[in-house]
Amino acid sequence: AVNDTRQTWRHVLINENSKLRDEGLGKTDEEVEEIVRKTEIRNIYPMLHASFISNTEYAQEHAEQTERVLRLSNMYWLTGVLAARNREMLVRQLQVFVDTSFPQLLEKVLASQKHEAVSEDTNATAVRFLRAAKVGRYERFGRHLDPLVKDTIDLMGACRAKLHQQIQDFFDDGEQVATF
């Protein structure tokens, strides 16, 4: 059973790694094989664990057995692994945004400020980056970026309105424009 599980795990890793390679985050084939070799394969008994957690009377009457079952069910180990993976992926995705997406967005905004107003293209670029972030790898872990998307779109709208007002004021009240 352990060999079958390991082969299934290898297949899953190879498929996920190919998806990550498309995003520029994948590992080499040798690294994937090393992960397969180093992965600890454990039997997990969620139903047994849940039954001892839910049936508190029986669990209290048979404390020694309960402690043994909860320890051997490997559910605590599994939740720890899942939490670590979740943190790892969140940090990795945030690093991509910090290193790539947000600097590109800032560069686009700064370039647009040299013109009359923040262009529709810049606003569309910001929305595209943020929508891509929203449907990124976070949703697999139940993380949603709706507040970030809304706040950033609101900020872009506010910046655009402020810049438009400054340009309007320049043309309406500016001394340089009045001399012409």
Side-chain angles (χ1 to χ4, degrees):
V2 171
N3 286 334
D4 291 340
T5 304
R6 191 170 303 281
Q7 287 305 317
T8 303
W9 173 237
R10 182 179 180 277
H11 181 69
V12 167
L13 277 180
I14 289 171
N15 288 341
E16 287 299 315
N17 191 49
S18 67
K19 291 176 189 174
L20 288 172
R21 280 184 181 166
D22 294 341
E23 297 175 22
L25 302 172
K27 297 190 177 294
T28 66
D29 292 338
E30 293 80 22
E31 290 172 322
V32 171
E33 290 300 326
E34 184 178 336
I35 291 170
V36 170
R37 279 192 306 278
K38 289 184 175 181
T39 299
E40 183 176 359
I41 305 292
R42 292 187 182 201
N43 294 323
I44 300 175
Y45 304 99
M47 296 303 290
L48 184 62
H49 182 90
S51 67
F52 272 81
I53 293 292
S54 351
N55 191 348
T56 55
E57 278 182 27
Y58 183 85
Q60 288 172 351
E61 291 172 8
H62 302 89
E64 189 174 304
Q65 182 184 11
T66 300
E67 187 275 326
R68 184 173 181 272
V69 165
L70 294 179
R71 184 172 37 85
L72 295 177
S73 71
N74 286 319
M75 288 302 295
Y76 298 126
W77 171 82
L78 178 62
T79 54
V81 168
L82 292 176
R85 297 283 187 245
N86 188 22
R87 274 191 311 276
E88 202 174 274
M89 290 306 296
L90 288 173
V91 167
R92 189 182 302 168
Q93 190 67 30
L94 282 173
Q95 194 64 47
V96 169
F97 290 133
V98 167
D99 292 343
T100 307
S101 301
F102 292 133
Q104 288 175 0
L105 179 60
L106 179 62
E107 183 179 307
K108 192 88 165 168
V109 168
L110 293 175
S112 295
Q113 287 177 347
K114 294 177 183 175
H115 302 293
E116 293 179 14
V118 176
S119 67
E120 290 298 321
D121 183 44
T122 301
N123 200 23
T125 301
V127 170
R128 184 173 47 84
F129 277 139
L130 294 169
R131 297 242 185 269
K134 180 181 177 208
V135 296
R137 301 190 53 79
Y138 292 120
E139 285 191 345
R140 291 188 184 177
F141 300 104
R143 305 283 191 223
H144 299 281
L145 296 178
D146 288 336
L148 176 62
V149 171
K150 182 186 176 308
D151 291 347
T152 306
I153 290 172
D154 291 347
L155 178 64
M156 288 299 295
C159 289
R160 186 169 190 242
K162 184 177 178 182
L163 186 59
H164 182 60
Q165 185 60 45
Q166 289 173 346
I167 291 168
Q168 191 65 38
D169 291 346
F170 174 79
F171 282 105
D172 291 345
D173 303 327
E175 292 178 21
Q176 295 89 347
V177 176
T179 59
F180 292 106

